[in-house]
């Protein structure tokens, strides 16, 4: 074997160790693979045997296909019992398709299919212990059979389309087609019982119960009116309703007036808080008395210059000044 080898020494001329990398040529790779041929052959054979065993043990399954076209029917158009409000309203196409898919996926539909065909024909392994089982075990076996139908059944839809595609897989091709056809037949019957047919017996029993309660309430009402001397209940009820409306309107008016009064009172209180304690209502602007008093005082000063303070002219002028000061 020929190989190219190159060596890179460490840093520095005096390095004592280096790194060696081996580069293989294509001939070298082929030689190495040939040396390991028996190991690779053994791994390949082991994988081949395991895959062959799984493929042999795996049961063959046959699929039956069908398609349903979902159209708007009378059962989806709203028709009220009383009045015409929203009459004729209907859901859109996608909502209708989803509703039909839910009916197809229901366990009750699968249970009907199993009863029509027979548990022993569809699932022989489950039918053998069914006859000897107790009620609890029978319910478990029936649940397992419904689960088996759900496993083999595939329901597909596409947005914006009204087509529902069904596929059922079973080891027996004839049984696969039989189960799918029976499921579709039972679906056509079962959907009518879900969407259209109505069992009136519970409603009838409820109506009778309401009638009994209504009769008892009427008897109590009649006894109450008789005990309280009420003759025409409807007329008195109307009169009281009218009086109540008037009193309610008056109450609203009084409440509004009280709110307005409280607002005005708040404004007045705010203005009163800022007002002065005393307010001058009148002021005399006549200066005659003050002028006369000033003139008398000047004359008194002139008398002081010419007479003694206790002289009679001075005393007379002082009396005039005092009298004028009292008036001013």
């Amino acid at each position: 074997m020929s190989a190219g080898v190159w060596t890179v020494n460490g840093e520095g001329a005096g390095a004592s160790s280096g790194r060696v990398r081996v580069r293989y040529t294509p001939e070298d790779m082929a030689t190495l693979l040939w040396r390991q041929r028996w190991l690779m052959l053994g791994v390949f054979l082991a994988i081949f045997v395991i895959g062959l065993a799984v493929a042999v043990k795996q049961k063959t399954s046959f699929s039956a296909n069908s398609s349903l076209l979902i159209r708007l029917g009378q059962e989806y158009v709203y028709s009220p019992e009383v009045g015409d409000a929203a009459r004729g309203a209907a859901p859109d196409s996608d909502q209708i398709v989803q509703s039909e898919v839910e009916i197809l996926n229901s366990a009750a539909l699968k249970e009907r299919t199993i009863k029509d065909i027979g548990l022993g024909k569809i699932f022989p392994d489950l039918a053998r212990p069914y006859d000897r089982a107790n009620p609890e075990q029978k319910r478990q076996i029936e649940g397992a059979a419904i689960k088996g139908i759900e496993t083999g059944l595939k329901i597909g839809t596409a947005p914006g389309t009204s087509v529902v595609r069904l596929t059922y897989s079973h080891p027996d091709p004839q049984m696969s087609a039989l189960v799918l056809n029976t499921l579709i037949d039972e679906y056509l019957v079962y959907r009518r019982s879900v969407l259209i047919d109505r069992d009136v017996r519970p409603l009838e029993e409820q109506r009778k119960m309401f009638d009994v309660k209504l009769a008892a309430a009427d008897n109590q009402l009649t006894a109450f009116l008789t005990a309280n001397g009420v003759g025409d209940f409807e007329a008195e009820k109307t009169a009281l309703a009218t009086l109540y409306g008037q009193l309610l309107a008056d109450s609203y008016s009084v409440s509004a007036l009280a709110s307005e009064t409280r607002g005005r009172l708040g404004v007045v209180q705010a203005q009163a808080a800022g007002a002065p304690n005393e307010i001058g209502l009148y002021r005399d602007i006549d200066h005659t008395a003050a002028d006369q008093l000033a003139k008398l005082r000047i004359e008194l000063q002139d008398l002081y210059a010419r007479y003694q303070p206790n002289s009679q002219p001075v005393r007379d002028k002082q009396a005039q000044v005092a009298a004028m000061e009292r008036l001013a």
Side-chain angles (χ1 to χ4, degrees), residues 42-53:
V43 173
F44 173 76
L45 291 176
I47 296 174
F48 176 77
V49 171
I50 294 173
L52 182 61

Side-chain angles (χ1 to χ4, degrees), residues 170-248:
H170 194 272
D172 186 358
Q174 295 181 355
M175 184 57 62
S176 177
L178 178 60
V179 170
L180 186 58
N181 291 332
T182 306
L183 179 71
I184 294 174
D185 293 339
E186 285 295 334
Y187 155 74
L188 296 176
V189 177
Y190 180 65
R191 68 181 299 274
R192 287 197 297 268
S193 64
V194 173
L195 299 175
I196 300 177
D197 295 343
R198 297 178 182 177
D199 188 3
V200 298
R201 287 177 296 177
L203 297 178
E204 185 67 23
E205 294 177 358
Q206 190 176 15
R207 187 186 64 81
K208 291 180 180 179
M209 182 179 62
F210 286 160
D211 288 341
V212 173
K213 292 183 179 180
L214 181 60
D218 288 339
N219 294 332
Q220 293 177 1
L221 179 60
T222 303
F224 173 79
L225 296 178
T226 303
N228 291 274
V230 179
D232 191 352
F233 176 74
E234 294 297 332
E236 294 189 10
K237 179 181 177 181
T238 303
L240 290 176
T242 304
L243 179 61
Y244 173 77
Q246 293 177 354
L247 293 177
L248 186 62

